[in-house]
Amino acid sequence: MQPVEYSKFLKRWVEKFDPEQAWLGNAGATPPDQAQIHSSWQQLVELNTHDFDREARFLRNQTQAGLINRLLSGLDSFEDTVRVTTQMAESALDASLAHHRTILEQAFGVPSNPAFTILGMGKLGGRELNLSSDIDIFCIFAEDGETSGPRVRDHGDYFTRLTQQLAKSLDAQTVDGFVERVDQRLRPWGSAGQLAIPVVACEDYYEVHGREWERFALLKARPVAGDIELGDELLKSLKPFMYRKYLDFGVFESIRDLKSKIEAEVRRSGRDKNVKVGRGGIREIEFIVQAMQLLRGGQIPSLQVTGFLDALSTLMTETIISENDGMQLKDDYLWLRHVEHVIQAENDQQTQELPSDCGPLASVMGFESAVDFERKRNEVTDRVHEAFASFMRVEQSQDTTQVAIKDDVKERLDAFLDDPMCDRLEPIARSRLITLLDQLGPELSSYPLDVTERMLRFISTCTRRSVYLSLLSENPATRERMLDILNRSSWVTERLIEMPALLDELLTLDVSEALMSREAICQELSMRLQRVDPDDPERLTEVLVQFARGLAFRVAVFEVRGEIPLMQVSDQLTWIAEAVVSEVLHYAYREVENKHGQPVVIESDRDDALGLSVLGYGKLGGLEMSYGSDLDLVFVHGIDPDQMTDGDLAIEGGLFVNRVVRRVIALLETNTRFGRLYEIDTRLRPSGRSGLMVVGLDSLKKYLDESAWTWELQAFVRARPVAGDQFLNDRLAALRLDVLSKPREPTALLKDVVEMREKMRSHLGSTAGDSGFDLKHDRGGIVDIEFMVQYQVLAYAEMHPKLATYTDNIRQLDGLSESGCISTVDADALKSAYVHYRTLNHEAILAGREGRVEIAEIGNERQLVESLWAQWMSS
């Protein structure tokens, strides 16, 4: 098969630029050397940006055509391919940096310290880029300072702009294609972090916050453009973080955790035949070598290299890996990488998935048939997986201690196995099921029969994905954790049944992983989204749902086990929601922006200004999210509604923000096979359902000053910006302080608050036929406390502006006490009651009950709240 017959990309390029294949047959038939590559890119630097972007894409596509043609013709070795792809990426980054630096210096002047480095990570750092790979980078600058003018900018702003512009010139998809897919999410704090950071902040991050997986990421880090010496000095300072002076056998556990998460993602996305992350794929070979680098690199400096083949060679030289094992790993690695390159050559796509029809792939690789290719692939992947499992000491299934099986448990298990559904299973799946049920018999006999019923309900949902049966069968510790959780919470059980992939969260239970910072949660989500095609919103929402439910499930598990307190549970659930809303907002914005161009943002000269923010109200705003809470959102913009966007399909700014907001809501409420993200309520926007879906900042201020009902001001007490444009968020926070601090007539305010509470109680509180106490809506419950606090804040924030600082009830009560508006005794009593109520409500949710309790459980708290209501809220 000829290269142009196999590669759609090559065929298109030849038809457009080289129909006689004159270039391919002459200059393009020999891989260019580094000097040629560098020189051809440097010739573009002085062009205007439009021409630079266009010519860069032409140059890249021509180089890519030569690479693909030589690869498929067998002219280039693996080393040739990865050298050219890596040097092209480095030269493109260097040229784009030089081009945009000149432009920014003309506008803002030269930084007081101009040292700036682009660090290459992953395969770029390892000098082993795929044929069609993204490039992982992050950017650093030497120190804080300012530019020399004419328009002075601090270094953070200047270098962030520089990073944005140089990446955009390479990454943006135009009619001419793209240059490099630029991914900057491996930087400190991921998507939540600055695009360009000073060296000292980078060092502080890894010293204080660096996580285990980031040690692996830094193994391949090296400066690839800009001030190389600055990058080398930074990486030298990070050596103690990466390489330990002692034998760090804990790295094995880290590798197992990382591999478990990758396998979980493979299962979730059905990527079983992925030559990179699938069973026995490239990633497993890389893990073996990287583990040994981290384990021994502190004692053997020659292992401190970025390239895979260099590291593997050193491991053999140092006899850490035998010559035979090392050479076999190398051969298998090169074969899998060649398969990867041929897959990507078909259409210049960043993929490692085997095609549904492997016939053309097999033919190009010299096999007689797809069957022969598959036989070879299975030989390689089986060998690799066996090596990985042996090397990493993967936990093996153990014989269960002989325990008598209860008759009722055995009866349920036998009946399940005899069910026609189980009879219809494929032989391998049925064999796995029988093995698992044999193991579960003694274990289930130690629990109430309800746990057996719950486990069988779970198993019935995943018999078609027998990999989960194997996972449980081969991991006794995971089974033990699961049975304990099923015994403790019906809510957790239902979540597992709805989404069996959550089982992956039980593989390792480390409470330190349940308490993540807001930044770490954003970083985790950023990493999950790193490999999602930006043109695949369906996959995006699936990954977001898996992320949100997975982390919420993890938090629930630790709450059920009594290992994290209520307030930290609410923080975690709130930050998860914030991270999701932020990612969805940016995705929807980019979608509309790509189609219609950028809108005109008022009062901002930042290129990255969205001019759009999200206010969270209610539980989201008050940092009191619970399991299944909906999101009360109000969207605010700072965009000129009458000015047209700058795209080819230009629209008015008002229409632009409306489309973004409707897309955000649609994505958040989209039903996926794993469920939906959140229920969205936007009725708290000005004028409610009859109002605009997104309101301008000035309009919001005018409404709150002149037209808002008292209950809307109460809601505003718990409002805060949760996503979007930081400049606009700061203005919204200032607006909230201003609105809440305005003088109010006490009698009218009290009357409005009491009347609204009575109206809510009559609609939502218990009726004569109800038993027990409704924790939220009954007299003396949660809402009474919230109304009292909101009344106090609105009544006294004029005299004590600090009362408006916080949005959560606990810190608002602290503020009321500190200001003398209420006594410390009353504040502490209300905080205690509030936390107790919410704890009981969480327990009810996790147990699958409504939020009702026996009055005896809350008698003292209820009387206290009713007493304080009578004192404070009576006219």
Side-chain angles (χ1 to χ4, degrees), residues 507-522:
L507 287 172
T508 57
L509 281 181
D510 182 346
V511 71
S512 65
E513 292 188 359
L515 295 177
M516 301 170 66
S517 67
R518 178 189 272 112
E519 293 82 4
I521 288 173
C522 291

Side-chain angles (χ1 to χ4, degrees), residues 243 247-249 251-252 287-305 310-327 329 387 390-393:
Y243 300 105
L247 287 179
D248 184 13
F249 285 101
V251 75
F252 286 101
F287 272 171
I288 293 173
V289 172
Q290 290 171 350
M292 295 312 301
Q293 284 186 272
L294 289 182
L295 180 68
R296 304 279 187 174
Q299 299 81 44
I300 305 174
S302 56
L303 280 173
Q304 298 177 14
V305 292
D310 290 338
L312 179 58
S313 176
T314 301
L315 290 172
M316 289 188 286
T317 301
E318 297 288 340
T319 67
I320 297 170
I321 292 179
S322 72
E323 186 77 15
N324 287 340
D325 289 346
M327 291 307 298
L329 283 176
S390 173
F391 182 78
M392 301 310 299
R393 306 166 193 172

Side-chain angles (χ1 to χ4, degrees), residues 181-451:
R181 305 175 184 92
V182 180
D183 195 325
Q184 302 184 68
R185 286 177 285 188
L186 288 180
R187 68 185 186 271
W189 295 127
S191 293
Q194 297 171 252
L195 281 177
I197 60 176
V199 166
V200 65
C202 188
E203 293 172 332
D204 288 348
Y205 170 83
Y206 287 111
E207 179 179 348
V208 177
H209 303 288
R211 298 165 69 186
E212 198 66 22
W213 67 262
E214 288 175 303
R215 292 178 64 199
F216 290 93
L218 285 174
L219 280 177
K220 292 183 176 297
R222 68 181 176 90
V224 295
D227 189 322
I228 302 300
E229 184 178 350
L230 177 67
D232 284 335
E233 287 298 316
L234 170 65
L235 292 176
K236 182 179 178 181
S237 74
L238 298 180
K239 292 285 187 185
F241 171 68
M242 298 158 60
Y243 300 105
R244 308 292 159 83
K245 291 298 182 184
Y246 50 87
L247 287 179
D248 184 13
F249 285 101
V251 75
F252 286 101
E253 190 60 38
S254 301
I255 285 280
R256 281 196 290 270
D257 287 349
L258 285 172
K259 188 64 171 66
S260 294
K261 291 174 181 177
I262 291 172
E263 288 173 341
E265 176 61 24
V266 170
R267 285 192 292 272
R268 283 193 290 259
S269 57
R271 299 162 68 191
D272 300 337
K273 290 193 173 183
N274 186 294
V275 297
K276 180 178 180 181
V277 299
R279 178 184 178 277
I282 297 166
R283 184 59 59 83
E284 290 189 356
I285 305 178
E286 291 175 335
F287 272 171
I288 293 173
V289 172
Q290 290 171 350
M292 295 312 301
Q293 284 186 272
L294 289 182
L295 180 68
R296 304 279 187 174
Q299 299 81 44
I300 305 174
S302 56
L303 280 173
Q304 298 177 14
V305 292
T306 62
F308 170 86
L309 293 176
D310 290 338
L312 179 58
S313 176
T314 301
L315 290 172
M316 289 188 286
T317 301
E318 297 288 340
T319 67
I320 297 170
I321 292 179
S322 72
E323 186 77 15
N324 287 340
D325 289 346
M327 291 307 298
Q328 187 64 68
L329 283 176
K330 179 179 179 180
D331 290 345
D332 290 339
Y333 174 80
L334 292 176
W335 191 85
L336 288 169
R337 288 295 305 271
H338 184 57
V339 174
E340 176 184 45
H341 284 167
V342 176
I343 291 171
Q344 295 177 346
E346 181 182 9
N347 206 20
D348 190 26
Q349 290 183 333
Q350 184 191 359
T351 179
Q352 290 87 17
E353 297 288 341
L354 288 171
S356 56
D357 177 10
C358 286
L361 173 64
S363 177
V364 169
M365 294 194 63
F367 290 93
E368 292 292 330
S369 68
V371 173
D372 292 335
F373 166 78
E374 189 64 13
R375 184 181 299 114
K376 169 70 172 179
R377 189 183 73 84
N378 285 331
E379 289 175 3
V380 171
T381 56
D382 285 349
R383 192 163 50 235
V384 168
H385 186 67
E386 182 179 348
F388 176 80
S390 173
F391 182 78
M392 301 310 299
R393 306 166 193 172
V394 174
E395 178 183 18
Q396 299 298 314
S397 179
Q398 302 171 358
D399 292 333
T400 305
T401 304
Q402 291 300 314
V403 177
I405 302 176
K406 290 181 179 178
D407 291 341
D408 49 5
V409 171
K410 187 175 188 308
E411 180 183 335
R412 297 297 198 283
L413 297 181
D414 289 345
F416 184 83
L417 193 57
D418 290 337
D419 187 280
M421 172 191 70
C422 296
D423 282 339
R424 292 191 294 268
L425 292 176
E426 294 291 329
I428 188 171
R430 183 171 174 82
S431 174
R432 289 173 175 175
L433 175 62
I434 292 172
T435 300
L436 176 59
L437 294 182
D438 286 345
Q439 294 166 325
L440 284 170
E443 296 167 348
L444 287 167
S445 297
S446 301
Y447 292 94
L449 192 59
D450 283 349
V451 177

